[in-house]
Amino acid sequence: MFRTDYQNPLRRISRVESDRERCWRVSVRRYGQSVVRAFTDLCYGSKRKSLAAAKIYRDALEAHIALFDADHRLWRRTRKNKGNSSGTVGVARYLAPSKVPGGPPAPYWQAFWLDAGGRRLSKVFRVGVHGERKARRLALEAHAQGLAEVYAALQRNAWTVHPDSELGKEHESLLFAAAFAAELLRP
């Protein structure tokens, strides 16, 4: 299981055992920022109790993060890499090899994006058919349309957390801290 897999009971939680501290650490990263909180065995009385507190904090943090999870997923898909030379994420100009031996290559603009399931989708616009500017504009529009559809699908499939009814007054400080940390991660 992956560390962030929702079926993993210790997702986003790691154990730290050193000479200086023994704790469970909850860490979440969104929009290039990290929120890390340690739950020490000394503070909570035992290893088991500190793990229980870390799980409550993690669950509350995930519940608040789920409110803007679709926005984060779209941000990750449209983040510009340092190797991008066209200036637009998901749109690029390519040269197709000529079908005639020794002929000139056929330029085209291609828009590509990942759907909600993670499959790569694309549309091609040939420069010979549309012209350079129109082919690029059509590729940009197709990319924007594809991302709008992905965003709508992500909003529909947003993962929600139902808080347990057994959380009492003693957990209010952890729930408040998780809500505060989630707001720090909001764009």
Side-chain angles (χ1 to χ4, degrees), residues 161-181:
V161 176
H162 302 288
D164 296 335
S165 59
E166 57 193 56
L167 296 178
K169 291 266 187 196
E170 65 273 10
H171 301 300
E172 282 184 0
S173 63
L174 288 176
L175 298 176
F176 177 76
F180 183 74

Side-chain angles (χ1 to χ4, degrees), residues 116-184:
R119 291 181 305 142
R120 184 176 169 148
L121 302 174
S122 67
K123 286 189 178 181
V124 173
F125 301 94
R126 304 242 174 240
V127 172
V129 174
H130 302 289
E132 188 74 39
R133 287 184 180 172
K134 188 174 180 184
R136 183 176 190 271
R137 183 176 51 79
L138 289 172
L140 289 169
E141 290 172 2
H143 182 255
Q145 166 103 25
L147 287 180
E149 292 170 6
V150 168
Y151 184 74
L154 290 174
Q155 287 287 68
R156 283 192 304 272
N157 301 333
W159 181 73
T160 57
V161 176
H162 302 288
D164 296 335
S165 59
E166 57 193 56
L167 296 178
K169 291 266 187 196
E170 65 273 10
H171 301 300
E172 282 184 0
S173 63
L174 288 176
L175 298 176
F176 177 76
F180 183 74
E183 288 300 317
L184 292 177

Side-chain angles (χ1 to χ4, degrees), residues 43-62:
C43 180
Y44 288 92
S46 72
K47 188 175 180 178
R48 184 175 291 146
K49 289 179 182 178
S50 62
L51 176 60
K55 285 182 177 180
I56 290 169
Y57 177 79
R58 185 242 3 242
D59 291 343
L61 187 60
E62 285 178 346

Side-chain angles (χ1 to χ4, degrees), residues 77-80 84 86-92 94 109-113 120-123 139-140 142-144 147:
R77 291 166 193 244
T78 58
R79 188 174 52 183
K80 185 177 171 184
N84 185 328
S86 72
T88 306
V89 177
V91 176
Y94 297 104
W109 283 90
Q110 184 175 15
F112 47 91
W113 61 95
R120 184 176 169 148
L121 302 174
S122 67
K123 286 189 178 181
L140 289 169
H143 182 255
L147 287 180

Side-chain angles (χ1 to χ4, degrees), residues 58-71:
R58 185 242 3 242
D59 291 343
L61 187 60
E62 285 178 346
H64 288 285
I65 286 175
L67 299 174
F68 58 95
D69 193 46
D71 295 333

